[in-house]
Amino acid sequence: MHQQFDKLHGLQSTLLEQVGTVKGFSPVDGRGEAYLASISSSGCDKWNLLVEPIELFNGLVPAEDAITLETLATSNMRQHSLSGKIEDQQFRQLFHISSPANRARLLSISSRHAASWLTVVPSPGLNLHLEPNEFQIAVKWWLGMDVSFGSCCPHCPDHRLDPLGHHALTCKHGGDVVLRHNSLRDVFVEFCHRACLGGQVEVGSGQGHDRLNSRPADVLVKNWHLGKPAAFDLTITSPLNPTTLTEAGVKCGSSAQVAEVRKHAANDGKCKELGWVCIPLAVESYGCWGMEAQESFKHLAARLAIQMGCSRSQATTTLYQRLSLSLVRANARALLFRARVHLEEGG
């Protein structure tokens, strides 16, 4: 599965702030923001050395972000700020030339916490790692490279796989969707227990007036907030779904928002009858979480911080890292299964 990055995919891999990073900053990029920031903060009076780096920097940013010797001399310019201006411009340029599907992908992966899987310190003993082949295909998928291998879905022979992996990650056949859902559910309920909130899995079937198989709680936490039980219903959606693609290419998180509305429509009635609060945990396949999930994770992180004896920020980071890694690992395995079938067939 070895494949060289082309120019556009290589550019994405350097956008540290927007889409996470799979490589560090390289001084051979010709970007002198580190040098500019160093001179600016040191108080060095050799401003003539900055003429060329300033020209290079200004050539990479829009006119309103351009800097001069005077602005450097009178303000303490930090590398983070300067790099951010360059990356913002590169992201805008990349977004402008992208297809609707790639725009939806870029917005989703640039959302807060979506790239948390890239910051996990690998630990096979704690199952906090990706196998080499999982990491390789995850990076290709994350950067929008072709992961279809020019083949058809082994479960849907008449369906040709798409380059961005949408069908591979949404195919209802083969069990990948269920395994991914259950993996995320188990991570969430584990953290609920670690926060001493408890949690029951798959609750609600056969209860209430409607004794059908509707099950509004993937995880039921009986003492969530103000003594009320909360029924968490996890759902994973794709921003590349044709029904939401147009909006997903314009507004970050729109697919997750649609999924939240859908879950409320399906579950609010039964949850109200049972005295539960319905809380959808909606996440896009690229890792963009819905607003209700983010608010819930804030509350959970606050409880975790107390039990773990750490800051709320650290607890939040740990929670998102585990969820993000679980999501990407499941996605990678779904993509790899189809790749293996293709290779075994001589593709």
Side-chain angles (χ1 to χ4, degrees), residues 58 82 106 109 127 190 286-287:
N58 288 343
L82 295 172
L106 287 168
I109 66 176
N127 197 29
E190 175 194 335
Y286 287 105

Side-chain angles (χ1 to χ4, degrees), residues 85-103:
K85 294 179 185 297
I86 293 175
E87 291 170 8
D88 285 344
Q89 176 66 359
Q90 290 179 333
F91 186 85
R92 285 191 291 265
Q93 293 172 341
L94 183 64
F95 189 82
H96 178 70
I97 63 175
S98 294
S99 65
N102 270 309
R103 288 185 178 188

